PDB file of all heavy atoms in Angstrom:
ATOM      1  N   THR A 220     -14.338   8.016  10.336  1.00  0.00           N
ATOM      2  CA  THR A 220     -15.652   8.351   9.793  1.00  0.00           C
ATOM      3  C   THR A 220     -15.532   8.464   8.254  1.00  0.00           C
ATOM      4  O   THR A 220     -14.443   8.692   7.722  1.00  0.00           O
ATOM      5  CB  THR A 220     -16.242   9.635  10.375  1.00  0.00           C
ATOM      6  OG1 THR A 220     -15.318  10.752  10.032  1.00  0.00           O
ATOM      7  CG2 THR A 220     -16.405   9.555  11.876  1.00  0.00           C
ATOM      8  N   VAL A 221     -16.661   8.395   7.586  1.00  0.00           N
ATOM      9  CA  VAL A 221     -16.781   8.706   6.178  1.00  0.00           C
ATOM     10  C   VAL A 221     -18.083   9.486   6.050  1.00  0.00           C
ATOM     11  O   VAL A 221     -19.066   9.183   6.665  1.00  0.00           O
ATOM     12  CB  VAL A 221     -16.778   7.481   5.248  1.00  0.00           C
ATOM     13  CG1 VAL A 221     -17.838   6.482   5.666  1.00  0.00           C
ATOM     14  CG2 VAL A 221     -16.937   7.825   3.793  1.00  0.00           C
ATOM     15  N   THR A 222     -17.986  10.558   5.220  1.00  0.00           N
ATOM     16  CA  THR A 222     -19.125  11.511   5.220  1.00  0.00           C
ATOM     17  C   THR A 222     -19.649  11.814   3.840  1.00  0.00           C
ATOM     18  O   THR A 222     -19.165  12.721   3.141  1.00  0.00           O
ATOM     19  CB  THR A 222     -18.757  12.874   5.891  1.00  0.00           C
ATOM     20  OG1 THR A 222     -18.084  12.574   7.137  1.00  0.00           O
ATOM     21  CG2 THR A 222     -19.958  13.730   6.163  1.00  0.00           C
ATOM     22  N   PRO A 223     -20.579  11.012   3.290  1.00  0.00           N
ATOM     23  CA  PRO A 223     -21.201  11.408   1.995  1.00  0.00           C
ATOM     24  C   PRO A 223     -21.985  12.648   2.183  1.00  0.00           C
ATOM     25  O   PRO A 223     -22.623  12.885   3.245  1.00  0.00           O
ATOM     26  CB  PRO A 223     -22.144  10.183   1.712  1.00  0.00           C
ATOM     27  CG  PRO A 223     -21.714   9.121   2.647  1.00  0.00           C
ATOM     28  CD  PRO A 223     -21.133   9.791   3.830  1.00  0.00           C
ATOM     29  N   SER A 224     -21.970  13.538   1.208  1.00  0.00           N
ATOM     30  CA  SER A 224     -22.607  14.848   1.325  1.00  0.00           C
ATOM     31  C   SER A 224     -23.340  15.114   0.056  1.00  0.00           C
ATOM     32  O   SER A 224     -22.750  15.211  -1.054  1.00  0.00           O
ATOM     33  CB  SER A 224     -21.623  15.920   1.683  1.00  0.00           C
ATOM     34  OG  SER A 224     -22.246  17.152   1.893  1.00  0.00           O
ATOM     35  N   MET A 225     -24.679  15.379   0.170  1.00  0.00           N
ATOM     36  CA  MET A 225     -25.506  15.767  -0.997  1.00  0.00           C
ATOM     37  C   MET A 225     -26.023  17.176  -0.739  1.00  0.00           C
ATOM     38  O   MET A 225     -26.151  17.609   0.382  1.00  0.00           O
ATOM     39  CB  MET A 225     -26.627  14.798  -1.115  1.00  0.00           C
ATOM     40  CG  MET A 225     -26.213  13.409  -1.693  1.00  0.00           C
ATOM     41  SD  MET A 225     -25.902  13.429  -3.469  1.00  0.00           S
ATOM     42  CE  MET A 225     -27.583  13.625  -4.054  1.00  0.00           C
ATOM     43  N   PRO A 226     -26.469  17.850  -1.810  1.00  0.00           N
ATOM     44  CA  PRO A 226     -27.090  19.215  -1.649  1.00  0.00           C
ATOM     45  C   PRO A 226     -28.247  19.090  -0.726  1.00  0.00           C
ATOM     46  O   PRO A 226     -29.038  18.126  -0.734  1.00  0.00           O
ATOM     47  CB  PRO A 226     -27.485  19.566  -3.060  1.00  0.00           C
ATOM     48  CG  PRO A 226     -26.747  18.732  -3.938  1.00  0.00           C
ATOM     49  CD  PRO A 226     -26.416  17.461  -3.230  1.00  0.00           C
ATOM     50  N   ARG A 227     -28.497  20.142   0.078  1.00  0.00           N
ATOM     51  CA  ARG A 227     -29.594  20.159   1.028  1.00  0.00           C
ATOM     52  C   ARG A 227     -30.909  20.483   0.342  1.00  0.00           C
ATOM     53  O   ARG A 227     -30.990  21.458  -0.432  1.00  0.00           O
ATOM     54  CB  ARG A 227     -29.294  21.203   2.175  1.00  0.00           C
ATOM     55  CG  ARG A 227     -30.325  21.187   3.272  1.00  0.00           C
ATOM     56  CD  ARG A 227     -29.996  22.315   4.235  1.00  0.00           C
ATOM     57  NE  ARG A 227     -28.692  22.125   4.788  1.00  0.00           N
ATOM     58  CZ  ARG A 227     -28.440  21.422   5.913  1.00  0.00           C
ATOM     59  NH1 ARG A 227     -29.458  20.797   6.486  1.00  0.00           N
ATOM     60  NH2 ARG A 227     -27.242  21.288   6.368  1.00  0.00           N
ATOM     61  N   ILE A 228     -31.905  19.696   0.667  1.00  0.00           N
ATOM     62  CA  ILE A 228     -33.245  19.921   0.090  1.00  0.00           C
ATOM     63  C   ILE A 228     -33.985  20.895   1.007  1.00  0.00           C
ATOM     64  O   ILE A 228     -34.037  20.661   2.202  1.00  0.00           O
ATOM     65  CB  ILE A 228     -34.063  18.617  -0.073  1.00  0.00           C
ATOM     66  CG1 ILE A 228     -33.355  17.684  -1.078  1.00  0.00           C
ATOM     67  CG2 ILE A 228     -35.501  18.866  -0.462  1.00  0.00           C
ATOM     68  CD1 ILE A 228     -34.000  16.332  -1.187  1.00  0.00           C
ATOM     69  N   ARG A 229     -34.532  21.955   0.454  1.00  0.00           N
ATOM     70  CA  ARG A 229     -35.266  22.899   1.214  1.00  0.00           C
ATOM     71  C   ARG A 229     -36.765  22.619   1.064  1.00  0.00           C
ATOM     72  O   ARG A 229     -37.375  22.904  -0.029  1.00  0.00           O
ATOM     73  CB  ARG A 229     -34.919  24.296   0.802  1.00  0.00           C
ATOM     74  CG  ARG A 229     -33.440  24.630   0.940  1.00  0.00           C
ATOM     75  CD  ARG A 229     -33.081  26.001   0.350  1.00  0.00           C
ATOM     76  NE  ARG A 229     -33.713  27.098   1.146  1.00  0.00           N
ATOM     77  CZ  ARG A 229     -33.674  28.371   0.785  1.00  0.00           C
ATOM     78  NH1 ARG A 229     -33.053  28.704  -0.350  1.00  0.00           N
ATOM     79  NH2 ARG A 229     -34.244  29.305   1.508  1.00  0.00           N
ATOM     80  N   HIS A 230     -37.431  22.109   2.061  1.00  0.00           N
ATOM     81  CA  HIS A 230     -38.832  21.803   1.997  1.00  0.00           C
ATOM     82  C   HIS A 230     -39.722  22.934   2.199  1.00  0.00           C
ATOM     83  O   HIS A 230     -40.933  22.884   1.855  1.00  0.00           O
ATOM     84  CB  HIS A 230     -39.145  20.646   2.979  1.00  0.00           C
ATOM     85  CG  HIS A 230     -38.416  19.371   2.681  1.00  0.00           C
ATOM     86  ND1 HIS A 230     -38.817  18.543   1.617  1.00  0.00           N
ATOM     87  CD2 HIS A 230     -37.365  18.771   3.243  1.00  0.00           C
ATOM     88  CE1 HIS A 230     -38.032  17.472   1.642  1.00  0.00           C
ATOM     89  NE2 HIS A 230     -37.129  17.588   2.597  1.00  0.00           N
ATOM     90  N   TRP A 231     -39.202  23.987   2.797  1.00  0.00           N
ATOM     91  CA  TRP A 231     -39.969  25.233   3.017  1.00  0.00           C
ATOM     92  C   TRP A 231     -39.080  26.435   2.669  1.00  0.00           C
ATOM     93  O   TRP A 231     -37.930  26.468   3.146  1.00  0.00           O
ATOM     94  CB  TRP A 231     -40.472  25.309   4.439  1.00  0.00           C
ATOM     95  CG  TRP A 231     -41.371  26.532   4.703  1.00  0.00           C
ATOM     96  CD1 TRP A 231     -42.745  26.628   4.448  1.00  0.00           C
ATOM     97  CD2 TRP A 231     -40.943  27.809   5.160  1.00  0.00           C
ATOM     98  NE1 TRP A 231     -43.167  27.884   4.737  1.00  0.00           N
ATOM     99  CE2 TRP A 231     -42.073  28.628   5.205  1.00  0.00           C
ATOM    100  CE3 TRP A 231     -39.751  28.299   5.565  1.00  0.00           C
ATOM    101  CZ2 TRP A 231     -42.090  29.966   5.613  1.00  0.00           C
ATOM    102  CZ3 TRP A 231     -39.693  29.679   6.007  1.00  0.00           C
ATOM    103  CH2 TRP A 231     -40.843  30.452   6.016  1.00  0.00           C
ATOM    104  N   ILE A 232     -39.687  27.398   1.947  1.00  0.00           N
ATOM    105  CA  ILE A 232     -38.884  28.557   1.580  1.00  0.00           C
ATOM    106  C   ILE A 232     -39.751  29.783   1.900  1.00  0.00           C
ATOM    107  O   ILE A 232     -40.950  29.913   1.582  1.00  0.00           O
ATOM    108  CB  ILE A 232     -38.583  28.540   0.064  1.00  0.00           C
ATOM    109  CG1 ILE A 232     -37.712  27.340  -0.258  1.00  0.00           C
ATOM    110  CG2 ILE A 232     -37.868  29.824  -0.363  1.00  0.00           C
ATOM    111  CD1 ILE A 232     -37.432  27.116  -1.760  1.00  0.00           C
ATOM    112  N   SER A 233     -39.137  30.790   2.528  1.00  0.00           N
ATOM    113  CA  SER A 233     -39.805  31.947   2.959  1.00  0.00           C
ATOM    114  C   SER A 233     -40.120  32.887   1.797  1.00  0.00           C
ATOM    115  O   SER A 233     -39.410  32.856   0.757  1.00  0.00           O
ATOM    116  CB  SER A 233     -38.912  32.735   4.006  1.00  0.00           C
ATOM    117  OG  SER A 233     -39.344  34.047   4.159  1.00  0.00           O
ATOM    118  N   TRP A 234     -41.168  33.701   1.975  1.00  0.00           N
ATOM    119  CA  TRP A 234     -41.423  34.743   0.928  1.00  0.00           C
ATOM    120  C   TRP A 234     -40.306  35.766   0.825  1.00  0.00           C
ATOM    121  O   TRP A 234     -40.297  36.600  -0.112  1.00  0.00           O
ATOM    122  CB  TRP A 234     -42.766  35.427   1.170  1.00  0.00           C
ATOM    123  CG  TRP A 234     -43.915  34.647   0.674  1.00  0.00           C
ATOM    124  CD1 TRP A 234     -44.915  34.040   1.422  1.00  0.00           C
ATOM    125  CD2 TRP A 234     -44.232  34.363  -0.671  1.00  0.00           C
ATOM    126  NE1 TRP A 234     -45.809  33.361   0.611  1.00  0.00           N
ATOM    127  CE2 TRP A 234     -45.405  33.552  -0.692  1.00  0.00           C
ATOM    128  CE3 TRP A 234     -43.623  34.693  -1.922  1.00  0.00           C
ATOM    129  CZ2 TRP A 234     -46.012  33.131  -1.872  1.00  0.00           C
ATOM    130  CZ3 TRP A 234     -44.213  34.267  -3.068  1.00  0.00           C
ATOM    131  CH2 TRP A 234     -45.402  33.469  -3.066  1.00  0.00           C
TER     132      TRP A 234
END
Side-chain angles (χ1 to χ4, degrees):
T220 59
V221 56
T222 312
S224 183
M225 287 284 288
R227 186 183 300 273
I228 296 173
R229 301 175 66 187
H230 295 286
W231 184 86
I232 299 175
S233 165
W234 276 114

